[in-house]
Amino acid sequence: DGGITQSPKYLFRKEGQNVTLSCEQNLNHDAMYWYRQDPGQGLRLIYYSQIVNDFQKGDIAEGYSVSREKKESFPLTVTSAQKNPTAFYLCASSIATSDTQYFGPGTRLTVL
Amino acid sequence: GDSVTQMEGPVTLSEEAFLTINCTYTATGYPSLFWYVQYPGEGLQLLLKATKADDKGSNKGFEATYRKETTSFHLEKGSVQVSDSAVYFCALSNAGGTSYGKLTFGQGTILTVHP
């Protein structure tokens, strides 16, 4: 089945630790995105990538980093510089010729 | 910049009631408009979209019409079911320049349908 997978589903982190969230897609989509969702708020864009080895900051990139070494993969690292990292993180992808994005199931990150 | 405003929630309805969730937007140019649905603990699923003025998107009994004159994209369903209980997000894409593919979301509206 084609789709977007995110792992793990739940993640717990101690303060001061970096943590990496996985996002993989087998849809052969060119573009990939990371969003953050907080309770009662819409999604906010963290980073996006339109092609391999290239990515751009979104609206709330501070305290996060990404890489895009393969078309299928777009991991997100939440660094210790992110002051309020507890949130639900969603990965999405799209083809180059469409503005429709398809979302993964999400990872819930909790800082202990 | 671009923005999307949804009606305040939560919305609580009885089964078979009529649903309207209001959505208005501010954007330059001619954005595409979307409704996404999120069931508890899950990611977002595309519900419907419209790409130009007067287009009507529809899916699973839900409809929304792109109204450029009122900058609106209200979601409607004639008869809701308990299984429609979820969070609904209105969003736009203004694919121009370096912001290709970026979605701007409203804050979401929680819908609860009672039997």
Side-chain angles (χ1 to χ4, degrees), chain A residues 23-47:
Chain A
C23 178
E24 304 276 335
Q25 54 97 2
N26 60 4
L27 300 169
N28 199 33
H29 285 178
D30 306 282
M32 298 185 74
Y33 312 81
W34 275 105
Y35 292 89
R36 171 183 171 136
Q37 183 180 16
D38 294 286
Q41 298 186 35
L43 281 67
R44 293 180 289 169
L45 182 65
I46 305 172
Y47 269 98

Side-chain angles (χ1 to χ4, degrees), chain A residues 37 42 48 59 96 99-101, chain B residues 32 36 38 49 98 100-102:
Chain A
Q37 183 180 16
Y48 65 104
D59 299 319
D99 53 10
T100 300
Q101 295 182 19
Chain B
S32 295
Y36 282 87
Q38 184 180 36
K49 69 177 283 189
T98 60
Y100 177 82
K102 174 186 173 182

Side-chain angles (χ1 to χ4, degrees), chain B residues 7-114:
Chain B
M7 67 183 289
E8 294 289 333
V11 174
T12 303
L13 295 173
S14 297
E15 207 165 25
E16 300 184 1
F18 184 85
L19 169 70
T20 299
I21 301 178
N22 290 340
C23 171
T24 58
Y25 68 90
T26 301
T28 57
Y30 301 92
S32 295
L33 300 174
F34 304 82
W35 278 101
Y36 282 87
V37 58
Q38 184 180 36
Y39 299 100
E42 298 183 8
L44 273 66
Q45 300 177 24
L46 177 66
L47 184 57
L48 52 86
K49 69 177 283 189
T51 59
K52 60 182 187 295
D54 299 325
D55 266 2
K56 178 185 285 187
S58 61
N59 186 27
K60 300 180 181 179
F62 292 89
E63 294 183 340
T65 301
Y66 190 145
R67 301 289 187 198
K68 190 163 179 63
E69 64 276 13
T70 55
T71 61
S72 65
F73 193 55
H74 304 322
L75 182 68
E76 296 181 337
K77 187 176 185 183
S79 177
V80 294
Q81 305 300 313
V82 173
S83 57
D84 293 327
S85 298
V87 182
Y88 292 82
F89 290 95
C90 185
L92 71 83
S93 173
N94 214 347
T98 60
S99 59
Y100 177 82
K102 174 186 173 182
L103 286 174
T104 300
F105 285 87
Q107 74 272 30
T109 300
I110 299 172
L111 171 66
T112 303
V113 180
H114 292 297

Side-chain angles (χ1 to χ4, degrees), chain A residues 1 4-5 11 14 17 25 30 34 37-38 41 50-51 55 64 68 70 82 86 92-93 95-96 100 104 112:
Chain A
D1 286 339
I4 303 171
T5 57
L11 188 57
K14 293 182 179 180
Q17 289 182 337
Q25 54 97 2
D30 306 282
W34 275 105
Q37 183 180 16
D38 294 286
Q41 298 186 35
Q50 297 177 25
I51 57 173
F55 47 83
Y64 300 97
R68 186 89 186 276
K70 299 186 298 182
Q82 170 50 237
T86 295
S93 68
I95 63 173
T100 300
L112 302 173

Side-chain angles (χ1 to χ4, degrees), chain A residues 11-17 19 83-87 108-112:
Chain A
L11 188 57
F12 298 90
R13 187 195 94 174
K14 293 182 179 180
E15 282 192 30
Q17 289 182 337
V19 63
K83 298 306 179 188
N84 187 22
T86 295
R108 186 166 299 281
L109 173 63
T110 302
V111 174
L112 302 173

Side-chain angles (χ1 to χ4, degrees), chain A residues 48-105:
Chain A
Y48 65 104
S49 168
Q50 297 177 25
I51 57 173
V52 173
N53 292 323
D54 188 42
F55 47 83
Q56 288 78 40
K57 293 182 178 180
D59 299 319
I60 56 165
E62 185 175 352
Y64 300 97
S65 65
V66 293
S67 62
R68 186 89 186 276
E69 297 177 0
K70 299 186 298 182
K71 187 175 183 179
E72 312 81 59
S73 178
F74 191 42
L76 173 74
T77 297
V78 184
T79 75
S80 57
Q82 170 50 237
K83 298 306 179 188
N84 187 22
T86 295
F88 191 48
Y89 290 87
L90 289 155
C91 179
S93 68
S94 67
I95 63 173
T97 55
S98 172
D99 53 10
T100 300
Q101 295 182 19
Y102 297 91
F103 285 79

